Amino acid sequence: MNRKLVANELFKAFRLKKFYLFMILIGIVEVSNVLQYKAKGPEHIFLYPNGQSLAIQMVGGLPQIMVVFLAIFVADMMADELRHGTVKLTLLRQVGRRELLHAKIVSMFFFAAAMLLFTIVSSYVVGTAAFGWGDRTVFEGTSFPPGAGVYMTLQSALLSLLPYLGFGLLVLYIAIVTANMGITIGVALGLMIIEPIFQHSDALVNYSIISQIYFFHLQFWKDFSPGKMILSIAVICAYAAVFYLGSVSAFRRKDIAS
């Protein structure tokens, strides 16, 4: 892999104002949750009041906004660059299309990881400032010792990266095919809107990448089932493989010169 190309894509990603705007929005959600809890109590917002618990609850609730963030990020880095000719300028420097695509996938992965890391750190800070650190981590009605709670929070974030990658590759494929930022984001939002249909169907829920984003990390510590876990991994890998190969094929055939 071309390290300079990857470094350039990462530099472009971390230079985006959207990147820091997304962080601000995550912080606003965290503070809003704390304020709502203090104003209305647990009957209006499900939140165990300590710093340890806010982080795992934010990681579990992040898919609602992370799907939107990831769609905007991927649309910006691929569809918008295709439309404005930035990709063509990069390819003129004797860079292979597959190399460039791989660099953008790495950038997308690091974006998701950075958002998750920021969410964990900022949640610990906000939650501890508001409620104190606490003597346990509580999530989904289960209590964990502090060390186990921190480990579970980090584990949940790492596991979440796999379905985020699968979803990101799906969005990347749409961005390459359409070369339109609006359509790319719109299709991604459409998938999120119809997600309740999958969640209300036992036959379909395991085959939705959005459902996997919501629930994949929970399978490793809540109602553990080896068969269901293997199915989830297979589904996520299938999404990643199909849309990676689709992206490679579509990008290779894309008329970038026009």
Side-chain angles (χ1 to χ4, degrees), residues 216 219-220 224-237:
F216 178 67
Q219 298 178 34
F220 288 78
F224 180 78
S225 168
K228 189 175 180 180
M229 180 189 67
I230 292 171
L231 174 61
S232 294
I233 293 173
V235 168
I236 294 169
C237 289

Side-chain angles (χ1 to χ4, degrees), residues 79 82 171-184 187 254:
L82 282 170
V171 178
L172 181 63
Y173 173 75
I174 297 169
I176 294 171
V177 171
T178 65
N180 186 294
M181 190 171 181
I183 293 176
T184 302
V187 172
K254 192 74 176 177

Side-chain angles (χ1 to χ4, degrees), residues 127-170:
T128 301
F131 304 115
W133 177 248
D135 61 352
R136 73 191 73 179
T137 298
V138 179
F139 186 60
E140 296 283 330
T142 305
S143 298
F144 303 88
V150 172
Y151 172 79
M152 186 182 68
T153 301
L154 295 173
Q155 180 195 56
S156 296
L158 287 172
L159 290 171
S160 296
L161 285 172
L162 185 59
Y164 280 134
L165 177 62
F167 174 76
L169 288 167
L170 185 159

Side-chain angles (χ1 to χ4, degrees), residues 67-159:
V67 166
V68 179
F69 290 173
L70 198 55
I72 294 173
F73 178 79
V74 173
D76 188 281
M77 78 167 187
M78 179 55 80
D80 203 48
E81 289 193 11
L82 282 170
R83 185 176 181 184
H84 291 95
T86 311
V87 169
K88 180 172 66 175
L89 294 176
T90 304
L91 293 174
L92 288 175
R93 301 172 186 171
Q94 296 183 338
V95 172
R97 293 195 181 200
R98 182 171 293 193
E99 281 186 309
L100 179 57
L101 186 66
H102 287 169
K104 289 187 177 295
I105 292 172
V106 170
S107 177
M108 176 184 69
F109 184 84
F110 271 90
F111 168 80
M115 289 295 107
L116 284 164
L117 179 61
F118 174 80
T119 298
I120 292 172
V121 173
S122 60
S123 294
Y124 279 140
V125 172
V126 171
T128 301
F131 304 115
W133 177 248
D135 61 352
R136 73 191 73 179
T137 298
V138 179
F139 186 60
E140 296 283 330
T142 305
S143 298
F144 303 88
V150 172
Y151 172 79
M152 186 182 68
T153 301
L154 295 173
Q155 180 195 56
S156 296
L158 287 172
L159 290 171

